[in-house]
């Protein structure tokens, strides 16, 4: 089994001695119960990764000696999933499984037919939950990069993302073309703008939303013969694209 991954603060991996403290140090010391001599990997969440050996364990801290470090290039093409807000805690579920599957960025979207609404008084708390979920899932998946979770977007902002993408895809149950057959950019590994995938709400897209996305140059694609929930459609689409683009 590969060594566990813990997230260091920005700049910490520049040093040969790293002290994990706060929630991360507490988790390493009291939950994972690390001991002196164990090998761990530390990542800064932005691509830098270090192989380390535990040298000291305190009550809420762990001291690590860096043995080697390297920077991992960002995966290409960049894949962003625009996720319509699901009900309840299924938003965190969507973020978790997409992070495990390698998504680069998640954009929460307030679609017209979303049952869930991030009111101003709860938006910041909901966004923190999504970001914390991405952070923990990245550690579980042994990732060196934590996916970006953007601010809540409206339909005009999503249309702008699609317009700027090398390939914009709207998952739609009535699309004529399957996602597995959508034409990719000539060299997806060298694509500027990346791939943006839009996952709609349980109630479906409105005509106005589809018109805005069509005008932005997005293509509509079908995942398969079954209708997936909004919280699982994103990870299914991501898996197809990862394989087709050579990232998997």
């Amino acid at each position: 089994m590969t060594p566990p991954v813990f997230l260091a603060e920005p700049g910490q991996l520049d040093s040969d001695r790293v002290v994990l403290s706060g929630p991360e140090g507490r988790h390493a010391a009291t939950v994972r119960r690390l001991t002196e001599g164990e090998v761990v990997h530390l990542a800064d969440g932005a691509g830098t990764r270090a192989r380390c050996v535990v040298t000291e364990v305190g009550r809420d801290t762990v001291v690590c000696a860096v043995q080697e470090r390297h920077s991992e290039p960002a995966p290409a093409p960049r894949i962003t999933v625009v996720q319509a807000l699901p009900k309840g805690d299924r938003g965190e579920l969507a973020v978790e499984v997409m992070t495990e599957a390698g998504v680069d960025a998640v954009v929460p979207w307030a679609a017209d037919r979303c049952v869930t609404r991030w009111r101003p008084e709860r938006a910041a708390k909901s966004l923190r939950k999504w970001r914390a979920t991405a952070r923990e899932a990245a550690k579980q998946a042994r990732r060196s990069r934590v996916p970006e979770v953007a601010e809540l977007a409206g339909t005009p902002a999503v249309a702008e993302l699609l317009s700027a993408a090398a390939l914009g895809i709207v998952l739609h149950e009535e699309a004529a073309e399957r996602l597995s057959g959508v034409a990719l950019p000539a060299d997806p590994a060298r694509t500027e703008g990346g791939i943006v995938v839009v996952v709609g709400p349980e109630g479906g897209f409105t005509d106005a939303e589809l018109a805005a996305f069509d005008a932005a140059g997005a293509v509509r694609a079908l995942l398969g013969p079954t209708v997936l929930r909004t919280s699982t459609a994103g990870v299914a689409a991501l898996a197809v694209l990862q394989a087709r683009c050579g990232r998997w």
Side-chain angles (χ1 to χ4, degrees), residues 126-213:
S126 298
L127 186 60
R128 284 197 299 271
K129 284 185 177 180
W130 281 36
R131 287 173 172 168
T133 298
R135 178 183 174 92
E136 293 307 310
K139 289 165 53 179
Q140 178 66 34
R142 310 296 202 268
R143 290 184 58 170
S144 298
R145 295 178 181 273
V146 176
E148 172 193 353
V149 178
E151 298 284 339
L152 180 66
T155 297
V158 174
E160 288 183 12
L161 278 175
L162 290 168
S163 181
L167 174 61
I169 301 169
V170 175
L171 300 180
H172 198 284
E173 63 190 70
E174 296 179 358
E177 187 173 17
R178 293 180 184 268
L179 181 60
S180 58
V182 169
L184 298 178
D187 187 355
R190 298 180 180 274
T191 297
E192 296 296 329
I195 297 174
V196 176
V197 181
V198 180
V199 179
E202 300 287 354
F205 298 97
T206 65
D207 290 342
E209 289 166 346
L210 289 174
F213 300 158

Side-chain angles (χ1 to χ4, degrees), residues 25-42:
R26 191 174 305 112
H27 182 258
T30 65
V31 178
R32 292 301 299 261
R33 297 182 180 276
L34 295 181
T35 59
E36 292 183 20
E38 280 194 69
V39 175
V40 298
H41 285 181
L42 301 184

Side-chain angles (χ1 to χ4, degrees), residues 45-133:
T48 300
R49 190 183 191 99
R51 184 182 188 277
C52 307
V53 172
V54 175
T55 57
E56 299 176 38
V57 179
R59 181 177 180 181
D60 295 320
T61 60
V62 171
V63 181
C64 302
V66 175
Q67 293 186 322
E68 58 183 65
R69 64 175 65 82
H70 66 278
S71 294
E72 298 180 2
R78 176 180 172 87
I79 302 178
T80 298
V81 175
V82 176
Q83 175 66 59
L85 300 179
K87 294 184 291 185
D89 61 359
R90 297 191 72 86
E92 287 92 89
L93 170 64
V95 172
E96 179 181 35
V97 294
M98 288 192 291
T99 298
E100 291 174 0
V103 74
D104 298 302
V106 178
V107 180
W109 172 39
D112 287 344
R113 290 177 176 164
C114 285
V115 174
T116 296
R117 295 290 174 185
W118 284 7
R119 305 299 181 190
E121 63 273 13
R122 63 170 291 183
K125 181 179 179 180
S126 298
L127 186 60
R128 284 197 299 271
K129 284 185 177 180
W130 281 36
R131 287 173 172 168
T133 298

